[in-house]
Amino acid sequence: MPKIGLLTSGGDCQALNATMRGIVKTLMNSCSDPVEIFGFEDGYQGLIYGRYRTMEPMDFSGILTRGGTILGTSRTPFKLLDIPGQDGVQKVPAMKKTYNQLKLDCLFMLGGNGSTKTANRLSKEGLNIIALPKTIDNDTWGTDLTFGFTSAVEVATRCIDDIHTTASSHGRVFVIEIMGHKVGWIPLYAGIAGGADAILIPEIPYEMKNIVSTIERRMSLGARFTIIVVAEGAISKQEAGMSRKEYRRRLQERTSPSIVYDIAAEIEKTTGRETRVAIPGHTQRGGGPRRSGSHLRDPVRRRGGESLSQRQVRYHDSAAGWIYVSCIAR
Ligand code: F6P
């Protein structure tokens, strides 16, 4: 009887349950033997400490539209993998031990970049792991579209749409913070869809004078409001020119909760326009998968599920030294 493990690692997103359901359903439909399923709790923590539940196929029924993850998740930073925690536990040997004790044929790991690096490390240690690319940020190496991304874009766009009406009624400038510390895919897509007048993303350092001139130009044309979409990790040209150390110090010295407040204050001071901040925050990861992302579940499900049932071995190393994995049961 094939034995598989499932875990969800890192920040959650909308389609984790839908993807696990897809994997299990495909295995049930394509494996002639029954499959034994172990669900690890709270990501790699469950694998490290042997916290798991044996699961039945019916545990995955009715969860297609449910957000979050039925297994729970946590962050286990890749860079700390070889550093024992406060309890002295060596993480990699502990994970290997759990995997081997359960005699797993394969572990399905739903995670983003850091979690996939850990999966790659475990793969090099001899574990069979399939990593499925999850994150609202859409920045997992080696994949064009991660599950979670389109749902997050939909939530963020909805937020911008809603702000549009109130900004228009009051004739205000709105600065909306959208998730994305390192990459700006969500603010870019949602900003375009929501008709933002300026979109600031980490990849393109901004200049305050351009934001101000955008607002003033709109005002001179008679526009009552302006919407500026700002990624969490947006950075000014001046900041981009700083050393890492200087930039870190600048962030430590920031007295406002985040960059949007500084930008809003600067806009109000320079233009004299009443300016407000809006932050959808973790709602961008909340709720169930939105319809626009549904098409993703199928390929992900088939890739994940079929690779086990067909017993393919598809593992490759990237030039970067780590990978988007696919690798399989003995
Ligand atoms: O990686 C997904 C993400 O939602 C990022 O967009 C965001 O910057 C970060 O996680 C927030 O992390 P946390 O949930 O730990 O506050």
Side-chain angles (χ1 to χ4, degrees), residues 165-177:
T165 61
T166 177
S168 162
S169 306
H170 287 265
R172 286 170 170 161
V173 176
F174 262 88
V175 183
I176 307 176
E177 181 182 286

Side-chain angles (χ1 to χ4, degrees), residues 11-12 75 134-137 179-181 186 232 282 285:
D12 71 345
R75 296 191 196 274
K134 162 247 60 160
T135 170
I136 62 164
D137 291 337
M179 273 187 167
H181 263 125
I186 310 173
E232 286 173 310
H282 286 76
R285 290 200 332 225

Side-chain angles (χ1 to χ4, degrees), residues 124-305:
K124 286 183 170 155
E125 297 274 343
L127 275 54
N128 284 322
I129 300 202
I130 294 175
L132 296 150
K134 162 247 60 160
T135 170
I136 62 164
D137 291 337
N138 201 32
D139 65 345
T140 304
W141 190 93
T143 193
D144 292 331
L145 201 52
T146 58
F147 54 90
F149 172 61
T150 53
S151 293
V153 168
E154 207 162 309
V155 177
T157 305
R158 174 69 196 269
C159 167
I160 300 168
D161 286 349
D162 290 348
I163 291 296
H164 235 108
T165 61
T166 177
S168 162
S169 306
H170 287 265
R172 286 170 170 161
V173 176
F174 262 88
V175 183
I176 307 176
E177 181 182 286
I178 298 296
M179 273 187 167
H181 263 125
K182 294 183 186 149
V183 297
W185 288 107
I186 310 173
L188 185 65
Y189 272 55
I192 290 171
D197 302 297
I199 304 170
L200 314 184
I201 57 175
E203 293 87 339
I204 306 174
Y206 68 87
E207 283 189 273
M208 203 61 214
K209 67 174 174 24
N210 293 338
I211 301 171
V212 169
S213 66
T214 299
I215 296 167
E216 281 169 348
R217 193 172 58 249
R218 282 178 56 78
M219 279 159 60
S220 71
L221 293 170
R224 281 175 55 76
F225 68 94
T226 298
I227 291 179
I228 314 286
V229 165
V230 179
E232 286 173 310
I235 181 166
S236 68
K237 269 202 169 158
Q238 191 214 1
E239 289 165 336
M242 291 176 174
S243 67
R244 281 175 90 94
K245 204 170 151 197
E246 278 173 326
Y247 182 57
R248 213 173 301 129
R249 192 174 329 120
R250 178 164 180 120
L251 293 183
Q252 279 161 3
E253 285 168 359
R254 178 177 281 152
T255 52
S256 61
S258 72
I259 188 172
V260 277
Y261 292 93
D262 298 344
I263 292 176
E266 187 68 27
I267 289 172
E268 201 161 68
K269 194 171 99 194
T270 320
T271 65
R273 299 291 296 213
E274 196 175 23
T275 305
R276 292 284 191 270
V277 162
I279 305 179
H282 286 76
T283 63
Q284 292 162 94
R285 290 200 332 225
R290 306 310 196 265
R291 295 303 103 191
S292 61
S294 310
H295 65 285
L296 261 185
R297 295 185 203 132
D298 240 39
V300 167
R301 175 196 78 174
R302 273 192 263 116
R303 274 287 174 79

